[in-house]
Amino acid sequence: MASAQPARGARTDGAWTADRLRSAVQDFVSAHDPATTDPVEFLGALFDAGLAWVHFPPGHGGLGAPRALQSAVDDELTAAGAPPRAPGLHTIGLGMAAPVLLTFGDEAQKKRFLRPLFTREEVWCQLFSEPGAGSDLAALATRAEPDEATGDWVVNGQKVWTSVAHEAHWGLLVARTGPELPKHQGLSYFLIDMRAPGVEVRPLRQATGEAEFNEVFLTDVRIPDTHRVGAVGDGWKVASGTLMNERVAIGAGAMPREGGLAGGLARLWRERPELRTPGLHSSVVRAWVDAEALRLTAERLRQQLAAGHPGPEGSAAKISFAGLNQRMSGLALDLLGEEGLGYDDWTFRRPEPDDDFSTRSYGFFYLRTKGNSIEGGTTEVLRNVIAERVLGLPPEPRTDKTIPWKDLPR
Amino acid sequence: MSAEPAADLLYNEVEDELRIPLRALLADRCPTGALLTRIESDELYDTKLWAALGAELGITGLSVPEEQGGAGAGWRETAVVLEELGRAVAPVPYLGSSVLVTAALMAADESRVLPEVAAGRRAAALAVPFSTSPGRSFPDTVRLSGSTLSGTVTSVADALPARVLLVPATGEAGPGLYLVDLTAAEDTVVLTPRRSLDLTRQLADITLRSAPAVPVALGTEAIRVLEVALTTGAALLASEQLGVAEWCLTTTVTYVKERHQFGRPVGSFQAVKHRLADLYGLVSQARAVARNAVAALDAGSPTVALEASLAQAFVSEAVVETAEAALQLHGGIGFTWEHPVHLYLKRAKSSALALGTADRHRSLVALLADLPPAV
Ligand SMILES: Cc1cc2nc3c(=O)[nH]c(=O)nc-3n(C[C@H](O)[C@H](O)[C@H](O)COP(=O)(O)OP(=O)(O)OC[C@H]3O[C@@H](n4cnc5c(N)ncnc54)[C@H](O)[C@@H]3O)c2cc1C
C-alpha cells in the first residue's frame, strides 16, 4: 500500500478552496491518466492524495477540507474522464461503511478498511435485519458472546434480506451482547469477515426473479475484539448512524436533470409519439416536475450536509424517492401498453458487480422499485422517524423500551 | 441535458441576517391578532408597515442597484423577505411593487420612477389580472390614444396602496408598457376594490379614462419586459408561498403537541404524525425548488423561465396542500374566523391561482423541457 502523499497545494493552515482543489485534481490526473491507469490503481492513488473524501482526515482518504468542496473535486475528475462514482455494489461500502468508520471506528480500523473500500477491492454488506427484527431492528436476536480465553466474540444467529452478501468481503453486523438489558442497550456493532468459517450465505430470490439479497446463517463465527466498532452496548448508536447514512445514500444521490428513471420516461415520451395520450401527458409532466423537486431537495440536503452528518431529515427524501420511482416505473408500463405486458428475464441469478441495470425492462423497474419503500426503513417507519425526530411529535405509547430484551413477548 | 454546476440552494449569511430584524418587526407590528382586526376595517393594506419596510429596514429595493436608489443586493435577498412576509401574511404590496414592477422597470432600464419605487416612497402595481401567467399573449384591454390610456383591468394585486401603475396597453403602433402616476391622475383613474378570496391581499379593478401615461417600453421590447416581470414574479411568488406553508406546518405541529384527546396529545396518533411527516417532506421540497428558481433569477440563468414554472408547478400545490391540512388538523377551532389559519388558506389558494395555476405552469414546463402534448 502506497504511503499517503498529500496533494500538491496542501496548506498547513488547512485553508482549502474550490480553486486550490481543482488545481490539485488537475495535477493528479496529469500524473495518473485515467484513460490508461488501472482503475484500482487510480482510485488508490486518489485515496492517497486525499481526494477520495476531502473532508476525511489526511491519511484516511481526505485532506480535512470542508465537505462542501468535494463537489469541486468530483466535477474536475468527471471532466478529466475519471471513472464515474457510480457505486453499484459498493453502495453499502461507500455510502454507509465509510462514514460509520470515520465517525465511530478507531485508527486501526480506518487504516485497515477505508482504502480497499474506496478502491472497490472489498465489497461490504449490512447484516442488520433478521426474520424477527425488521422495522423493529432493536429486537434482533443474533448473539455475540465473549470467549474469555481468546478475547474474541463468538456469533450465532440468522440475518435476512442481506443485499450483496454473496459478493461481500466484510459485513456491518449488529448483534446482541446483553440480553438481560432493555433491547436498545444490549447491542454491539462489529465488522465481520464474510469469508470466515461459520458464515453461510444462501441466495434469497426476490419478486424480480433474481437474488440481490440473501439469508446469512452465522454459526460460531469468531470476530476479534479489534473489529468491534464503538463500546460494548453502544451498538444502537452506531446502527442509527449507519441508517441515517443509508437513507441519504438511497434517497439523496447526486444526479443531473433527467437522471435516473425520470430521464428514461422523458426519452420514451419524446421518442414514441404514438404512445401519447392527454392523461399520460399530464402524469408524465407531473412526474418530471416531482423528479426535479426531489433532485433539488437531494442537492440541497447534500449542501447542508457539507458541514456535518446526515440527520433524520434525509428520511423525507428517501420516502419521496421510493414513491416517485414506483410511480414513474408504473407510468412507463402504462405508456408502453402491449410491450409493458412482457418481462425481460425471470432467471434466478445473482447480480454481478458490473451489471448494468439501466438496460433492464420497465417491468423489472416496476417490481424492483417496490423494494425502495421497504429497504433502509419502510416508508411508514420513516414517517415515524420524521414525526418524532424532526418535528418532535410525541412517540406512540410503548411498553417495549424498558423491560429486559429476554422478557419481551416474541 | 448537461449537468451544470449546482446552484447554491442554501441561505447565505447576509440572507440570514436580513431575516432576523424583519421577522422581529413583523411579529411586533403585524401579529395575527391585528390582522384579524384589520380585515374587518376599510384599510386592508397596512401602509404603516409598508413605510417601515422602506424607511426603517430599507428592503423595498433589494434587487435594485445602489445607483438607482436600491440596496444593491439581489433576488435571493428579495426572496427571503417574501418568505417572511408570507409567514406573516403581511398585507403590504411587496410582490406588486418590489417584485413585479421593479423587475419590469429594471428590465426596461427605466430610471426616473425606479428609485422612488425602490425606496418604498411610491408603491407601484403592475396592471394585469393577478391570475396572468407568463407565456400568454400581451393584454389588450387598455388602449392608447395620443398619450393617454383608456380601458379596464380587473383583479389587480397591490393596486389599492399604489401611487403609480405600470400598465400594458396597445395602440396603433402595437403593444407598450406605460407608467400612470396616480397622484396626478385625479379622476381619470378609478380603483374599485374587489371582494377578494385573499383577505390579506385585496385586489382591485382599474378603470382608465384618458389617463395621462408615460411610455417605458414599446413594441417587442414591451412584450419582453412584461414577460420578464411575470417570470420574475412567478419565480419569487414561490418563496412567499414557502413562507405561508412553513407557518402552516410549524403552527400545526405546535398545536397537535398541545391539544389532548383520548388522554394523549393528538400529535401522538400515527395518522396525524404521518400526515405531518409527509408535509414536512413536501415543504422541504418546496424550499429546494423555490431556492432553485431564485438562484436561477439571480444568476441570469438561460433556463430561468423553466425554473420559474417548475417552482410554480410544484410550490402552488404544496402550499395549498399544507394549508388545507393545517385547517383540518386544527379541528373545529381551525374552521373559526378567530383562528388565523383561514387567512393562510385564503392566501395559499389565491396565490396558487396567481401568476398562472400549477397546471398552466406544468404546460409551460412541458413546452420548455420538450415534453410535447398528445395530439
Ligand atoms: C430490496 C431490499 C434490500 C434489503 N437489504 C437489506 C440489507 O442489505 N441489510 C439488511 O439488514 N436488511 C435489508 N433489507 C431488509 C429491510 O431493512 C427490512 O425489510 C425492513 O426494515 C422492514 O422490515 P420487515 O421486512 O421485517 O417488515 P415489518 O417490520 O414486519 O413491517 C411490515 C409492515 O408493517 C409496517 N410497520 C412496521 N412497524 C411499524 C410502525 N411502528 N408503524 C407503522 N407501520 C409499521 C411496515 O411499514 C410494513 O409495511 C432489505 C429489504 C429489501 C426489500
Side-chain angles (χ1 to χ4, degrees), chain B residues 151-185:
Chain B
T152 58
V153 190
T154 50
S155 306
V156 179
D158 295 342
L160 287 175
R163 306 269 178 83
V164 55
L165 296 175
L166 183 64
V167 186
T170 49
E172 305 280 278
L177 280 172
Y178 300 87
L179 282 169
V180 173
D181 181 356
L182 292 178
T183 47

Side-chain angles (χ1 to χ4, degrees), chain B residues 194-335:
Chain B
R194 245 185 124 95
R195 192 170 298 129
S196 309
L197 175 62
D198 186 352
L199 292 165
T200 55
R201 179 152 56 210
Q202 201 192 23
L203 308 177
D205 294 341
I206 300 172
T207 307
L208 303 139
R209 291 193 198 89
S210 302
V214 180
V216 167
L218 296 171
T220 52
E221 179 64 0
I223 296 172
R224 182 189 72 83
V225 169
L226 180 61
E227 193 63 15
V228 168
L230 292 171
T231 302
T232 307
L236 284 165
L237 177 58
S239 289
E240 189 196 279
Q241 291 171 311
L242 172 64
V244 173
E246 249 197 341
W247 183 91
C248 290
L249 178 60
T250 51
T251 305
T252 307
V253 167
T254 306
Y255 181 74
V256 300
K257 286 180 191 170
E258 285 160 6
R259 170 74 177 167
H260 281 64
Q261 292 288 279
F262 303 97
R264 51 194 259 213
V266 293
S268 69
F269 292 107
Q270 206 173 58
V272 172
K273 288 162 80 168
H274 282 194
R275 192 158 177 193
L276 286 166
D278 284 344
L279 292 176
Y280 168 80
L282 195 65
V283 173
S284 310
Q285 297 193 12
R287 186 186 311 284
V289 169
R291 291 311 284 165
N292 174 62
V294 168
L297 267 187
D298 213 55
S301 155
T303 63
V304 66
L306 174 57
E307 315 304 338
S309 283
L310 177 67
Q312 278 303 298
F314 190 85
V315 183
S316 278
E317 291 194 345
V319 68
V320 171
E321 189 175 331
T322 310
E324 288 176 352
L327 194 152
Q328 171 67 20
L329 294 176
H330 276 81
I333 198 160
F335 193 65

